[in-house]
Amino acid sequence: MNTGRIEAALLKANDTADVGIGSGLLPSVNEMFERSFGGQRAVVVADENTFGVAGDEVRRHLEAAGRPMVDPYVFPGRPTLHAEYAHIERLTQALHAHDAIPIAVGSGSLNDIVKRASYEARRRFMSVATAASMDGYTAFGAAITKDGYKHTMTCPAPRAALADLDILRNAPARMTSSGYADLLGKVPAGADWLVADALDVEKVNAPVWSLVQGPLREAIGSPAELHAGDDHALDSLIEGLIMSGLAMQAAESSRPASGAEHQFSHLWEMEGLGYNDEPPLSHGFKVGVGSIAIAALYERMLSRDLSNLDVQTLVSRWPSWEQVELAVKEAHKTPGLDTAAIVESRTKYITGDELRQRLTRLAERWPGLHKRLREQLMTADQLRRMLHDAGCPTHPSDIGLHLEDLKATYYRARMIRRRYTVLDLATEAGILDQCVNELFAPGGFWAPD
Ligand SMILES: [Zn+2]
């Protein structure tokens, strides 16, 4: 772990005050707990798998140090735990029976369950990672399934987070691969932020930008080594993931870590892609395929000169809100998502006059933006190779999607989030259709085999 980098990030983070990354850290879990929670009681929360991997050891270290403890709360290990609201209700109820501070020992879903349940029980918590599988450990908010629909629920990040490489190293390989793909997504996500910045939609916050983008190239630079079990690569990965969470805290937004590639993954997630697989299709694997797809779109965009668009014609063809609303209703029928997509699309809808201003700004700024995007992005081929080397799926068919589903996602994904991305730029510039058709035409990036 780069201590200076983490310390600098902690100064900016709102919720998390203490992060430990390294080998052999688990035995010092009590000291870390003490720094944040003094002499308070602790309760380990895990599932049967993660309890065996690290939860029981955490409990023993705390007990050996004389820490007052409540009996561990352990979810079943099979089938794989999902972040369903019913689990949160049960855990919250159990937490109300005492005043102990929860220690979440697990990865994505377990961490999200404890994060939200702790919030509902009006308590802070500590996180002990068992896999470098996603960037949510130090992020605020939790992705929870309620009434069959995936919600992002409010709740603060943990007060303290511990990641022992000796534990992470032994996690299933697919979990490390998933974390790699989630982190790789920060490449196109950064590009989307540059687009939003150039068009004065959402300015880049330079200190927050550097928290994510600073260590990123190194952290994603050794996919084959990571997949082969290299410790340095694993250390860089978990640090990158934790930095990403801290950056979201500092920005009070997921913008630093999430762009159109995450809109792809959220859409597939909300429609239940791979939800009932055992193990379920991971967040990171969807982000990985989304990242390749967005990088491929950027390539089509960057091959064009967007400084000489026919603004007058584009404005005259710009749809009214009523037309957009119909299109959103046509594109999204999933209960919950259907109404949410209308709200999100309405929030970022602009009028014809606003479109004129935006495209005029684009014309002025395209040369500079083009240059910044070229520096930020990698080609879709590069991303595909890196993901492959890290053991990740790279083709939609690897994650259970047909090419036509992927093609439709280029149009549908932007409707579900208000965040401005390359999908909005392509739509406003009137070139989304052309670019997508090029990608799926013979010889294009997504040409059928
Ligand atoms: Zn993510």
Side-chain angles (χ1 to χ4, degrees), residues 133-136 178-179 181-183 185-186 241 244 248 257-258 261-262 265-266 269 283-284 287:
S133 53
M134 43 87 230
D135 68 2
S178 299
D182 197 19
L183 192 61
K186 309 328 171 201
L241 292 169
S244 170
M248 288 188 261
S258 160
E261 76 298 324
H262 270 78
S265 105
H266 289 316
E269 226 148 70
H283 168 71
V287 172

Side-chain angles (χ1 to χ4, degrees), residues 52-97:
V53 164
D56 196 36
E57 200 183 333
V58 166
R59 179 188 63 79
R60 281 190 278 112
H61 287 305
L62 291 163
E63 273 181 4
R67 166 88 36 202
M69 303 285 291
V70 168
D71 282 345
Y73 189 99
V74 183
F75 289 98
R78 284 281 174 276
T80 301
L81 187 69
H82 284 284
E84 278 164 16
Y85 195 69
H87 296 316
I88 291 167
E89 287 177 314
R90 278 195 289 277
L91 177 58
T92 305
Q93 206 173 16
L95 292 177
H96 278 312

Side-chain angles (χ1 to χ4, degrees), residues 98-426:
H98 54 72
D99 60 359
I101 297 293
I103 303 180
V105 183
S107 59
S109 296
L110 191 280
N111 198 63
D112 274 353
I113 289 169
V114 179
K115 203 187 281 184
R116 177 65 190 192
S118 301
Y119 169 75
E120 293 196 7
R122 296 197 170 81
R123 226 166 284 176
R124 299 303 308 276
F125 79 108
M126 175 172 172
S127 174
V128 174
T130 54
S133 53
M134 43 87 230
D135 68 2
Y137 287 114
T138 49
F140 57 84
I144 307 293
T145 305
K146 190 179 182 188
D147 306 325
Y149 173 66
K150 197 130 189 165
H151 300 256
T152 302
M153 293 192 169
T154 310
C155 44
R159 168 96 189 154
L162 184 156
D164 186 333
L165 296 177
D166 298 336
I167 302 290
L168 305 184
R169 192 186 300 123
N170 293 317
R174 65 181 157 76
M175 299 188 81
T176 309
S177 302
S178 299
Y180 180 84
D182 197 19
L183 192 61
L184 192 89
K186 309 328 171 201
V187 173
D192 280 346
W193 203 359
L194 294 177
V195 168
D197 181 76
L199 298 176
D200 295 341
V201 176
E202 193 173 346
K203 282 293 170 195
V204 165
N205 174 333
V208 170
W209 169 272
S210 65
L211 295 183
V212 178
Q213 300 292 334
L216 181 59
R217 307 291 152 157
E218 189 192 335
I220 59 173
S222 313
E225 290 82 348
L226 177 74
H227 197 45
D230 179 79
D231 258 4
H232 179 69
L234 181 62
D235 187 19
S236 297
L237 171 62
I238 189 65
E239 181 183 324
L241 292 169
I242 284 185
M243 290 290 285
S244 170
L246 296 174
M248 288 188 261
Q249 288 185 40
E252 297 179 356
S253 157
S254 60
R255 168 61 94 176
S258 160
E261 76 298 324
H262 270 78
Q263 293 176 345
F264 275 37
S265 105
H266 289 316
L267 176 60
W268 299 334
E269 226 148 70
M270 286 173 164
E271 295 183 336
L273 181 69
Y275 186 83
N276 292 318
D277 294 0
E278 192 56 50
L281 179 62
S282 70
H283 168 71
F285 284 170
K286 283 169 273 188
V287 172
V289 174
S291 297
I292 297 173
I294 294 304
L297 174 62
Y298 264 116
E299 283 174 38
R300 300 320 314 141
M301 310 255 311
L302 291 175
S303 71
R304 291 169 155 79
D305 181 2
L306 302 188
S307 58
N308 65 0
L309 294 168
D310 181 353
V311 174
Q312 196 49 43
T313 304
L314 288 167
V315 170
S316 71
R317 290 184 189 155
W318 189 240
S320 66
W321 164 247
E322 287 70 26
Q323 288 169 306
V324 173
E325 187 177 18
L326 277 177
V328 174
K329 281 182 176 160
E330 196 48 48
H332 293 285
K333 312 268 188 206
T334 306
L337 184 55
D338 52 358
T339 46
I342 290 173
V343 174
E344 296 297 310
S345 294
R346 183 75 189 94
T347 305
K348 67 177 169 185
Y349 177 77
I350 55 172
T351 63
D353 275 346
E354 289 167 319
L355 177 68
R356 186 192 317 280
Q357 288 169 19
R358 193 171 283 170
L359 293 178
T360 307
R361 201 170 289 141
L362 175 64
E364 286 163 16
R365 298 181 185 174
W366 179 245
L369 175 60
H370 189 275
K371 183 168 175 290
R372 288 180 88 186
L373 289 173
R374 277 230 181 278
E375 288 163 3
Q376 170 65 22
L377 284 161
M378 296 178 176
T379 66
D381 262 328
Q382 270 177 306
L383 295 186
R384 178 160 60 186
R385 211 165 30 244
M386 292 163 82
L387 287 165
H388 173 268
D389 290 350
C392 305
T394 59
H395 194 270
S397 60
D398 300 338
I399 61 168
L401 275 177
H402 296 292
L403 275 179
E404 47 274 31
D405 300 327
L406 177 68
K407 189 172 183 184
T409 303
Y410 279 99
Y411 299 93
R412 300 172 68 226
R414 62 181 283 269
M415 300 171 174
I416 67 166
R417 287 282 195 276
R418 64 191 64 188
R419 175 152 305 147
Y420 191 88
T421 72
V422 64
L423 298 170
D424 297 292
L425 173 61

Side-chain angles (χ1 to χ4, degrees), residues 23-52:
S23 276
L25 283 187
L26 213 58
S28 58
V29 62
N30 187 63
E31 285 99 279
M32 193 168 191
F33 186 91
E34 178 98 21
R35 284 200 294 273
S36 283
F37 302 108
Q40 285 181 266
R41 291 202 290 174
V43 56
V44 168
V45 184
D47 65 37
E48 285 167 350
N49 307 315
T50 61
F51 190 73

